[in-house]
Amino acid sequence: MVYILLAPGFEEAEALVPADLLRRANVPVTLTGVGGDCVTGAHGVPVRADAAVEQVALCAGDMLVLPGGPGVAALEGSGAVLSLIRQAAQQEDLWLAAICAAPTLLARMELLPGRQAVCYPGMEDDLTAHGATPRMECSTVRDGRFITGRAPGSAFDFGLALVEALAGPQTAQQVRAGIHYHG
């Protein structure tokens, strides 16, 4: 299961494009609300969550996805979210994915030392300060079971990287072809 964490102020494209691509690949996705069952994104788009963050029970192979935007502060302020992130980081059979400002949250939690990552341009000092190596020339970076994305404009590349990690390169290529994405 992929749990995409929606906190008030989340960047809509960074959550919904990956959710759509993963579902096209028949990967189960749960839009997970932080602080309510209807969460409004950074640009005023309300999204109804499938479940509350407190209901998440991670199992082998699951993935947490952290969209960026102003909602990262709400993610960081949620004890339930921080607990899930720590659990995912400690278990070798779980995935962590973050895009835009959200990789800096993983860095501040000291989860990226020695790893390569990308984040929103201008925030790479947060990665460096916590031992990560910024790869700002990339739209997405996969380092082991950590996948990071640069910004809203990278949402398709990020989503396809998630599909490839969970369903394989052939499925990712089929989804890419099906949506006529040539990025």
Side-chain angles (χ1 to χ4, degrees), residues 17-97:
V17 169
D20 177 272
L21 297 175
L22 287 159
R23 287 181 176 173
R24 287 172 190 261
N26 295 314
V27 175
V29 174
T30 298
L31 297 175
T32 308
V34 178
D37 64 346
C38 185
V39 184
T40 301
H43 302 97
V45 179
V47 176
R48 180 151 315 276
D50 301 315
V53 69
E54 293 81 9
Q55 296 173 303
V56 174
L58 294 174
C59 297
D62 285 351
M63 176 185 279
L64 287 181
V65 178
L66 313 175
V72 171
L75 293 174
E76 195 164 14
S78 166
V81 168
L82 297 179
S83 176
L84 283 174
I85 293 170
R86 283 188 198 97
Q87 180 185 356
Q90 292 169 355
Q91 292 183 258
E92 292 297 321
D93 57 358
L94 297 174
W95 293 85
L96 270 169

Side-chain angles (χ1 to χ4, degrees), residues 100-166:
C100 195
T104 65
L105 169 57
L106 299 181
R108 287 189 299 277
M109 292 180 72
E110 302 296 336
L111 301 178
L112 299 179
R115 294 193 180 275
Q116 296 182 27
V118 65
C119 64
Y120 190 80
M123 302 182 91
E124 54 270 25
D125 288 348
D126 282 345
L127 298 180
T128 305
H130 296 280
T133 301
R135 294 286 313 275
M136 300 309 291
E137 74 280 7
C138 301
S139 64
T140 62
V141 173
R142 178 176 170 185
D143 189 334
R145 58 195 177 83
F146 289 78
I147 301 171
T148 53
R150 186 174 44 223
S154 306
F156 279 92
D157 292 335
F158 180 69
L160 289 167
L162 304 183
V163 170
E164 184 171 331
L166 296 173

